[in-house]
Amino acid sequence: MAKKAPPTGSAPARTDSGPADPAHETFEHTAGLKKSQLQQLAAARRHNELKAGEHGFDNGLQTAPGAHVEAASGLAAASTVSELNGTDKSGSAAVEGINAAIESLDRVRADATGRPLTTNLGVLIADNQNSLKFGTRGPALLEDFVLREKITHFDHERIPERIVHARGSGAHGYFECTAPLTRFTRAAPFQQAGKVTPVFVRFSTVAGERGSKDTARDVRGFAVKFYTDQGNWDLVGNNMPVFFIQDAMKFPDLVHAVKPEPHHAMPQAASAHDTFWDFVSLMPESTHMLMWVMSDRAIPRSFRTMQGFGVHTFRLVNDAGDSVFCKFHWQPAAGTHSLVWDEAVKISGADPDFHRRDLWEAIEAGAYPQWELQVQIFTEEEADRFSFDILDATKIVPEELVPLQTVGRLVLNRNPDNFFAETEQVAFCTANVIPGIDFSNDPLLAGRIHSYHDTQLSRLGGPNFHEIPINAPIAQVHNNQRDGIHRQAIHRGAVAYEPNSLAGGCPFQAGAAHGFMTVPARLRARDEHAKVRAKPELFADHYTQARLFYESQSQPEQAHIAAAFAFELSKVTVPAVRERMVASLRNASDALARAVADKLGIAQLPAPMQRAMEQPRKPEVTRSSALSLMHRPGDGSIAARKVALFVAPQVAWNRGGSSLRERLVTQGAVVRCVASKIGPVRLADGETLDADATFANEPGFLFDALVLPDGCDSAADDARALESVRDIYRHCKPIYAFGSGVELLARAGIPADATDAGLIVAKGTQASSQIDRFIEALGRPRDFSRETDPPRV
Ligand code: HEM
């Protein structure tokens, strides 16, 4: 029900001039009262109190809050005296100081249960099957607004895809602070232990188009939007801590080089082609990132098993305005796990949505993905002593140099209701920071601060995309920005400028104590002298950290890196480009360059590429175990791991299969009974089991492990079963075989190897004897000891 409006009186309200002395205006009607209160409000500001403080460097560091005056009543600044004449649509007056557009997403959720179909304007649709025609066989009529509305809307359903990171998947959740960081920052999420901040996270690949495969070799985006009570903060990171380039000027070149080649639009979602390797082999600063991208990091097992990094150096700023440098790291509770290349290639055919499905299913199953947020904090003085430049996005700060400290955890516990409305329309931007977080002078970051908002203006169709529900903050939003396409907020009052007296000075600037303040970054003297297009000297060290990464990998990881370089370069059609890349790799690791050259049939190693810096500074750290995927095995849990259990009519379910499945499921694993066809299988002991997957619709490479129970050897008649066994073996995943299930291993050509910790063979027909070993193997990283190149199986 609308509020009762006060009488407006009979005298017509003037809109273009007022009385000389409003004190003599009659207050019998509301318009007069409004005028009088507005006059009082305006008169309370004799001058602009802030003006003097706008000048001088010191004042710039102490910005004062804006002057504002309390009005006699809300009427003074109202748009109209008729605002209380409400209807069910118009509602009544705005609640003072409230922007109702920022309420939780419940305000826009829509559910049609029990409702009939309507047009977009709420008109009930009588017939949704037929267009309007002149007679049943006659022509369709232009008058049919129901058809035209439906088709027109459909015609415009697509929006441009992201220029990069087009393929992504998102989820809601929360960030919980576990160790306050108040000493270093006044940023809202870090103020008290236990403080919870809502988040939306989007994971993505970079190069592929929106419908491309999930398991491409690529960097993964790891973008987190924190809806803090000080506004939205976006930590728009990747699953690798460095980047290809050092300056935003090169970003369009990089992306043009890696995207499908423009003449024939191939290859999709792949860096294995001429233009990418031509570009990066001429950009030696990309060598460190190439090591990461050629490592198994670029083919993660799941979004849940990736680290995340803010990449750039940021600043934390405390209440006193003091600042320190900071690097952000996300550490997955499930540990870091990846696929192997052969597996990634096969998955991309059988399930291009592999990562999207995994994230969705894990959340639906209650196995909520979790990460710890860790920070590395260091001062400007410490940074000055490092052997590398902390403004260089191709460098990490080794953990051995600056330790990680845990400040909170991220939990993803809610899938979106609607992919388009949430995951597609979400707009991340590195410029979205809050008081307590600030930028460093990283020149790559500077370009990003511009780029995201700019691209979103066209992707999301205009300047008001911050009002799209998934992008709106939960903090109040009040400013004098107005209009533009699809404006949602209905702003009350006549004032859209500052300073003002007619709205009592509101909204007013918050001042240094509460508002966002930029750190007056100290610049070293030589940087201050002039405008220049050049890089700092230490940016020229292109190989020291590439070597650090490679040297810090385990032997199988090094082998995978060499194989990946060789695979990618083998797809390059210009031999000179291949050789140039090998020449560059020689500066990072001769052993790696030799291994790659050998696989490429390059008999004579090219001379090492000429370096931009012949004598780099001595690095503080030459080996860091933390850079290996093996360093973070996870908590050993098997939650959300997928296990294939082969079933066939000869399986005696009660001799172990059933109890094994129960043990696995109780611990959160996903067990699928796989057979030649789906549906009921009558088993040897009279039980009937439903096969829920087939060797064709869920081939072995989609699983994390395999169980071959007694009696399943008859599945060998289906060659696809043997392919599944071979793939699971080749990809170094645990296999548990007992009873006659062991024979399936032999049929698949798998060597019996008692030293293979992932190949668990129980002698008898009972599953129970080795269950614990199997569960333990399933919870740890893969054991690559059975791997050979080329594969024997
Ligand atoms: C100068 C360098 C860069 C530029 C100009 C740039 C530009 C862009 C653009 C235009 C988008 C699409 C945004 C949208 O349409 O909503 C994007 C997405 C993204 N970028 Fe960058 N980028 C740069 C470097 C980086 C780096 C170094 C990282 C990692 C630290 C990164 C991480 C991401 C992520 C995660 C997304 C996807 C955001 C989402 O999920 O919507 N970018 N970038």
Side-chain angles (χ1 to χ4, degrees), residues 512-593:
H514 301 289
F516 175 81
M517 288 290 288
T518 294
V519 173
R522 275 168 287 154
L523 297 171
R524 272 163 275 156
R526 68 169 186 280
D527 294 336
E528 282 185 282
H529 285 149
K531 294 177 185 172
V532 63
R533 291 185 190 271
K535 298 182 177 66
E537 285 80 2
L538 287 180
F539 277 41
D541 178 3
H542 298 148
Y543 296 107
T544 304
Q545 287 207 354
R547 184 177 314 116
L548 166 67
F549 181 78
Y550 183 71
E551 301 283 327
S552 303
Q553 303 302 300
S554 63
Q555 190 279 327
E557 287 171 293
Q558 289 188 338
H560 293 176
I561 292 172
F565 270 109
F567 172 83
E568 298 258 321
L569 290 169
S570 73
K571 294 277 191 176
V572 167
T573 65
V574 184
V577 173
R578 276 185 227 143
E579 288 197 10
R580 192 197 294 148
M581 196 58 231
V582 172
S584 180
L585 285 181
R586 291 199 64 186
N587 291 324
S589 162
D590 232 11
L592 173 63

Side-chain angles (χ1 to χ4, degrees), residues 146-216:
V146 179
L147 173 75
R148 282 192 293 115
E149 179 197 86
K150 186 172 178 180
I151 298 280
T152 304
H153 195 277
F154 169 78
D155 290 345
H156 297 270
E157 274 178 4
R158 294 288 166 270
I159 59 170
E161 67 174 35
R162 289 170 176 83
I163 187 84
V164 281
H165 293 262
R167 168 84 188 165
S169 305
H172 292 273
Y174 62 89
F175 172 75
E176 182 185 358
C177 177
T178 51
L181 263 187
T182 42
R183 201 178 131 211
F184 298 110
T185 179
R186 61 182 174 128
F190 305 119
Q191 294 308 292
Q192 303 105 36
K195 177 160 185 175
V196 166
T197 302
V199 300
F200 187 79
V201 177
R202 182 174 179 271
F203 304 105
S204 47
T205 54
V206 178
E209 292 168 6
R210 185 156 50 195
S212 58
K213 60 200 178 193
D214 275 347
T215 54

Side-chain angles (χ1 to χ4, degrees), residues 162-165 202 204 221-223 236-238 243 245 248 251 309-312 426-428 444 447-448 451-452 455-456 459:
R162 289 170 176 83
I163 187 84
V164 281
H165 293 262
R202 182 174 179 271
S204 47
F222 192 131
V236 198
N238 280 341
F243 202 62
I245 51 171
F251 191 71
F309 302 92
V311 178
H312 310 279
V426 70
F428 294 93
L444 188 64
R448 298 182 71 199
S451 175
Y452 290 74
T455 189
Q456 285 149 4
R459 181 167 76 81

Side-chain angles (χ1 to χ4, degrees), residues 329-344:
H329 302 239
W330 295 109
Q331 310 292 3
T336 47
H337 304 281
S338 282
L339 305 172
V340 293
W341 179 241
D342 181 70
E343 181 188 13

Side-chain angles (χ1 to χ4, degrees), residues 413-430:
N413 62 358
R414 190 197 199 284
N415 278 315
D417 282 301
N418 184 278
F419 184 90
F420 180 85
E422 299 172 79
T423 310
E424 194 61 17
Q425 291 200 112
V426 70
F428 294 93
C429 180
T430 43

